[in-house]
């Protein structure tokens, strides 16, 4: 870790106080400054947009002078600590991010204080810029923490419980997006459930269809060429276009076979959305399946044959377990992609979080857009993290068994 | 230098398969042809649009290509900057941001930009830039990192400066990987620009959105077919360019 040559200014006057700082390459400090710059700018930008109702024009409110001072101090302290006191960086970065979240709640709360019931306090450029900068700082702090070791990496995550706690005590209650959520509480969970339903069913169907195809294709070069080529072509087609192209054949099918209409097949709605999403998810499932199954070392399979295993046993006990972690990463890619396709599915009447995005776009209500877009983005990120964790777990369990 | 400027190319692969999609696209753009073909889907009426189809296709293509040029102007220097020695942390940050960009749904980014930038081309262009940057930056980084270290040492031994090594060794050697990123990013952005129609950016998404709101299936199919053909055409043509580069 210390083999890196000491750079310029830090290396020249190496004093005991600076010895820990000297362990960091200058570019790590650059990351911290990259995060501090948007935070410094955010202090002067408008923080809250207060409007008499959710559609009217409004006035921008800035941070009070005392908070501006605190903000400047917090941003500068984090960046400077990278140079002089690296041990404090993870804690300071967590503080900066939590501070942004705290101000989001407290400033919007102060804005709607004494206003009429319909007044809405939306967050403005300052908040987004602060949160962006603080997130980069936290990322840099995570790198700092990993080099310091000990409990330091975890300190860079302290903002998470802080923000969750703020949410639980209702600190964000005055934020316009939360106000919008309160109005549409039931609808929100209905559409979120629909979103998850679309993703899970499409992912399940794609796995059910894709798994046998991948096994077949992995044993035959010509089949794999055709299957992967077709799936790749489908993936090239824009998702909205695929949804649109499926309307005509599916409605024709429903008209020709009335029994299908009875089970819900039609040109508009859940059926074409699920068909398109399943087709879309097939490529990552197939491609990773073929790559994973082919990637199992021939020597391992020969050893299994030498142990007297039948073909079936070799597949189920050796090839599949070894291939599973890589295969799962294809399923993760498919799942993350499906979160995005499912948000567009509202356009053909399939529902999901896209409902809020599109009704917000139609009525020009920014808060409604956020109510759909923020959970969709969070859902994708959380799904990605969870499935990555599962991959690592499976890799550890199966790879070294 | 032989690996860079050799004129002895291997015999070319047939280019015709890659030209099927552009040819189909051009046929579909013959005025009136596609509209009449889908009239059975619109209750026998020939669906008409305010803007001719070739204009929509051109503005769609223009938007995607404009975004791609800006993406290259930002993405390549960025990838080069973070892969210089001693910038590991910046590179990790760039990779993390690119990974995040890949995860967050397109529509969410486009929609989040609307409150700040208003409706129309601007939020769509922002979305195209952000989404286009992801594959270019991550492939650029991957390509530059994959350049053989002994090759670089040899170049240093020949007395090349850092700039010379970058221009004559690193960039040419990483070009195939970078081109693959450009291809992904362009094809992906055809889809992003389609969704941009929901925010008021004119393009091939316009007939899809209009058709869906008017329950005119013919109109939807026109837009969807052309958008699909445009994506497949660009994929084929850029694949051809990448194959040429790879064969050198």
């Amino acid at each position: 870790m210390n083999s890196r040559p000491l750079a310029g200014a830090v290396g020249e006057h190496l004093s005991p106080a600076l010895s820990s700082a000297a362990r960091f390459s200058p570019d790590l400090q650059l990351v911290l400054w990259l995060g501090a710059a948007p935070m410094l700018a955010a202090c002067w930008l408008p923080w809250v947009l207060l409007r008499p109702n959710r559609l009217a024009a409004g006035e921008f409110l800035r941070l009070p002078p005392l908070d501006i001072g605190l903000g400047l101090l917090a941003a500068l302290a984090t960046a400077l600590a990278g140079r002089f006191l690296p041990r404090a960086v993870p804690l300071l970065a967590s503080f900066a991010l939590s501070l942004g979240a705290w101000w989001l709640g407290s400033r919007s709360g102060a804005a709607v204080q004494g206003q009429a019931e319909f007044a809405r306090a939306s967050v403005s450029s300052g908040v987004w810029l602060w949160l962006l900068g603080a997130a980069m700082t936290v990322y840099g702090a995570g790198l700092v923490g990993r080099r310091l070791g000990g409990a330091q990496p975890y300190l860079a995550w302290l903002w998470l419980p802080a923000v969750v706690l703020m949410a639980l005590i209702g600190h964000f209650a005055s934020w316009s997006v939360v106000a919008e959520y309160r109005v549409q509480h039931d609808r929100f969970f209905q559409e979120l459930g629909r979103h998850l339903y679309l993703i899970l069913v499409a992912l399940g169907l794609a796995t059910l269809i894709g798994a046998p195809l991948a096994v077949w294709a992995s044993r035959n070069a010509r089949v794999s060429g055709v299957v992967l080529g077709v799936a790749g072509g489908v993936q090239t087609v824009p998702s909205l276009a695929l949804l649109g192209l499926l309307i005509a054949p599916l409605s024709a099918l429903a008209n020709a076979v009335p029994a299908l209409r009875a089970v819900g097949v039609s040109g508009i709605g859940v059926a074409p959305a699920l068909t398109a999403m399943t087709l879309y998810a097939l490529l990552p499932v197939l491609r990773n399946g073929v790559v994973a199954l082919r990637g199992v070392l021939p020597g391992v399979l020969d050893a299994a044959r030498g142990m007297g295993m039948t073909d079936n046993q070799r597949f189920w006990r050796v090839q599949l377990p070894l291939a599973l972690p890589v295969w799962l990463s294809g399923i993760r890619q498919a799942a993350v992609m499906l979160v995005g396709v499912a948000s567009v599915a509202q356009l053909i009447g399939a529902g999901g979080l896209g409902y809020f995005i599109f009704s917000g776009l139609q009525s020009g209500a920014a808060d409604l857009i956020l109510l759909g877009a923020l959970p969709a983005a969070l859902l994708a990120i959380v799904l990605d993290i969870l499935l990555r964790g599962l991959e690592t777990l499976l890799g550890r369990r199966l790879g070294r068994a | 230098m032989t690996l860079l400027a050799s004129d002895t190319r291997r015999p070319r692969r047939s280019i015709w398969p890659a030209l099927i999609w552009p040819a189909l696209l051009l046929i579909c753009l013959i005025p009136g042809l596609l509209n009449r073909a889908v009239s059975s889907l619109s209750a026998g009426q020939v669906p008409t649009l305010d803007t001719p189809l070739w204009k929509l296709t051109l503005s769609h293509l223009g938007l995607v290509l404009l975004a791609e040029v800006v993406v290259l102007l930002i993405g390549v220097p960025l990838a080069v900057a973070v892969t210089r020695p001693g910038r590991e942390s910046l590179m990790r940050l760039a990779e993390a941001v690119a990974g995040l960009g890949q995860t967050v749904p397109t529509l969410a980014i486009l929609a989040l930009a609307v409150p700040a930038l208003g409706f129309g081309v601007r939020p769509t262009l922002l979305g195209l830039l952000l989404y286009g940057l992801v594959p270019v930056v991550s492939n650029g980084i991957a390509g530059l990192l994959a350049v053989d270290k002994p090759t670089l040492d040899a170049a240093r031994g020949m007395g090349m400066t850092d700039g010379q090594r970058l221009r004559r060794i690193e960039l040419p050697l990483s070009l195939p990987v970078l081109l693959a990123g450009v291809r992904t990013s362009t094809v992906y952005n055809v889809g992003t620009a389609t969704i941009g129609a929901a925010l008021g950016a004119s393009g091939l998404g316009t007939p899809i959105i209009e058709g869906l709101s008017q329950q005119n299936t013919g109109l939807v199919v026109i837009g969807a077919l052309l958008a699909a053909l445009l994506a497949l055409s660009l994929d084929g043509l850029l694949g051809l360019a990448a194959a040429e580069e790879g064969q050198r």
Side-chain angles (χ1 to χ4, degrees):
Chain A
M1 197 186 295
N2 281 322
S3 61
R4 186 172 292 117
L6 296 173
V10 182
E12 278 160 21
H13 37 81
L14 198 65
S15 67
L18 283 178
S19 61
S20 63
R23 284 203 283 170
F24 298 102
S25 50
D27 77 314
L28 197 43
Q29 290 173 36
L30 195 56
V31 170
L32 293 176
W33 278 109
L34 269 179
M39 287 200 276
L40 292 173
C43 292
W44 276 281
L45 284 171
W47 203 265
V48 170
L49 172 63
L50 178 66
R51 291 174 297 183
N53 63 54
R54 77 177 202 189
L55 298 176
E59 56 167 331
F60 288 104
L61 305 175
R62 279 156 211 280
L63 284 175
L66 210 63
D67 285 353
I68 292 185
L70 181 59
L72 292 179
L73 204 66
L76 280 176
T78 318
L80 287 174
R83 172 93 155 75
F84 298 106
L85 193 62
R87 297 205 149 273
V89 169
L91 205 59
L92 281 170
S94 275
F95 174 71
L97 191 51
S98 317
L99 188 66
W102 178 260
W103 277 342
L104 191 168
S106 67
R107 291 333 298 167
S108 48
V112 292
Q113 191 91 54
Q115 298 281 333
E117 191 192 338
F118 296 114
R120 290 290 168 86
S122 313
V123 299
S124 185
S125 50
V127 178
W128 297 126
L129 215 53
W130 180 281
L131 292 180
L132 173 80
M136 284 203 320
T137 307
V138 162
Y139 186 79
L143 295 181
V144 172
R146 231 177 291 165
R147 291 204 194 164
L148 287 172
Q152 289 288 339
Y154 302 105
L155 291 181
W157 281 97
L158 265 186
W159 60 271
L160 188 60
V163 172
V164 169
L165 194 68
M166 284 181 219
L168 286 180
I169 62 171
H171 183 66
F172 303 121
S174 311
W175 182 23
S176 55
V177 176
V178 179
E180 202 71 55
Y181 160 78
R182 268 199 305 274
V183 176
Q184 313 225 29
H185 178 264
D186 294 336
R187 185 79 200 234
F188 179 79
F189 282 104
Q190 185 191 328
E191 299 299 349
L192 182 65
R194 171 60 69 82
H195 207 94
L196 287 171
Y197 167 83
L198 285 174
I199 294 168
L200 287 180
V201 172
L203 198 62
L205 284 175
T207 313
L208 278 182
I209 301 168
L213 266 181
V215 172
W216 185 37
S218 70
R219 294 172 182 178
N220 186 331
R222 189 188 276 173
V223 173
S224 76
V226 172
V227 163
L228 290 180
V230 171
V234 171
Q235 182 101 80
T236 308
V237 174
S239 54
L240 187 56
L242 193 59
L243 287 170
L245 281 175
L246 284 170
I247 291 180
L250 280 175
S251 57
L253 195 67
N255 284 338
V257 190
L260 282 176
R261 182 176 289 268
V263 294
V265 173
S266 69
I268 290 277
V270 174
L274 278 180
T275 316
M277 289 171 68
T278 306
L279 285 176
Y280 234 61
L282 262 181
L283 178 71
V285 173
L286 270 176
R287 188 186 48 207
N288 278 50
V290 171
V291 169
L293 290 171
R294 285 232 178 120
V296 175
L297 291 175
V300 178
L301 293 177
D302 282 346
R305 201 202 310 260
M307 285 169 67
M309 283 194 188
T310 65
D311 282 359
N312 260 333
Q313 282 176 325
R314 275 193 301 151
F315 176 75
W316 289 107
R317 296 212 199 150
V318 180
Q319 198 178 12
L320 190 62
L322 285 177
L324 219 47
V326 179
W327 204 337
L328 194 65
S329 105
I331 293 180
R332 169 177 58 82
Q333 289 164 24
V336 168
M337 202 172 59
L338 286 180
V339 178
V341 184
S343 357
V344 184
Q346 158 67 17
L347 275 179
I348 58 164
L353 289 169
Y355 166 79
F356 297 109
I357 300 180
F358 285 111
S359 36
L361 284 173
Q362 268 158 17
S363 58
D367 306 327
L368 207 53
I369 298 178
L370 287 175
L371 184 60
L374 284 182
L378 275 181
L379 184 63
I381 293 171
V382 168
L383 215 53
D384 188 61
I385 292 175
L386 283 181
L387 287 172
R388 260 178 216 274
L390 193 62
E391 261 167 62
T392 321
L393 203 72
L394 266 185
R396 237 176 253 162
R397 273 278 174 85
L398 298 174
R400 294 174 198 169
Chain B
M1 294 301 98
T2 48
L3 51 129
L4 313 176
S6 66
D7 283 320
T8 52
R9 293 188 194 171
R10 274 184 283 161
R12 281 193 202 175
R13 246 181 6 168
S14 170
I15 59 169
W16 297 112
L19 294 181
I20 292 174
W21 300 119
L24 271 176
L25 179 65
L26 288 179
I27 291 173
C28 286
L29 284 177
I30 296 172
L33 188 74
L34 194 57
N35 304 45
R36 239 165 273 148
V38 298
S39 61
S40 66
L41 295 169
S42 311
Q45 284 185 324
V46 178
T48 47
L49 281 152
D50 303 335
T51 327
L53 286 178
W54 62 268
K55 246 185 194 168
L56 285 178
T57 312
L58 270 189
S59 66
H60 198 106
L61 187 64
L63 201 58
V64 171
L65 292 185
L66 173 67
E68 202 55 39
V69 169
V70 182
V71 159
L72 281 177
L73 286 179
I74 301 174
V76 175
L78 193 65
V80 169
V82 300
T83 45
R84 298 306 93 195
R87 307 248 175 94
E88 286 84 3
S89 308
L90 282 176
M91 190 179 78
R92 289 226 205 135
L93 181 67
E95 279 179 335
V97 173
L100 198 66
Q102 226 154 20
T103 309
V104 176
T106 322
L107 181 62
I109 291 269
L110 288 181
L112 285 175
V114 166
L117 298 175
F119 283 87
V121 174
R122 280 196 293 175
T124 311
L125 208 51
L126 182 76
L128 289 173
L129 288 185
L130 291 179
Y131 271 93
L133 269 174
V134 170
V136 169
V137 169
S138 55
N139 274 40
I141 291 177
L144 286 167
L145 284 186
V147 173
D148 210 24
K149 291 288 165 285
T151 313
L152 283 177
D153 286 344
R156 201 202 309 259
M158 286 169 66
M160 281 196 194
T161 65
D162 283 356
Q164 281 174 328
R165 280 192 298 154
L166 177 66
R167 276 195 306 277
R168 299 209 198 148
I169 311 279
E170 289 185 83
L171 284 179
L173 280 181
S174 61
L175 198 56
V177 184
L178 181 69
L179 276 182
V182 173
R183 179 184 179 188
T184 313
S185 127
T186 312
V187 171
Y188 217 81
N189 269 347
V190 173
T192 311
T194 318
I195 296 177
L199 318 179
S202 169
L204 291 172
T206 314
I208 303 183
I209 305 275
E210 272 182 27
L212 285 171
S213 64
Q214 297 167 12
Q215 306 209 327
N216 183 339
T217 312
L219 216 50
V220 177
V221 169
I222 287 180
L225 198 62
L226 288 179
L229 284 178
L230 186 62
L232 290 167
S233 304
L234 284 175
D235 188 51
L237 291 176
L238 289 169
L240 211 60
E244 286 268 292
E245 191 53 46
Q247 276 187 358
R248 279 208 206 167

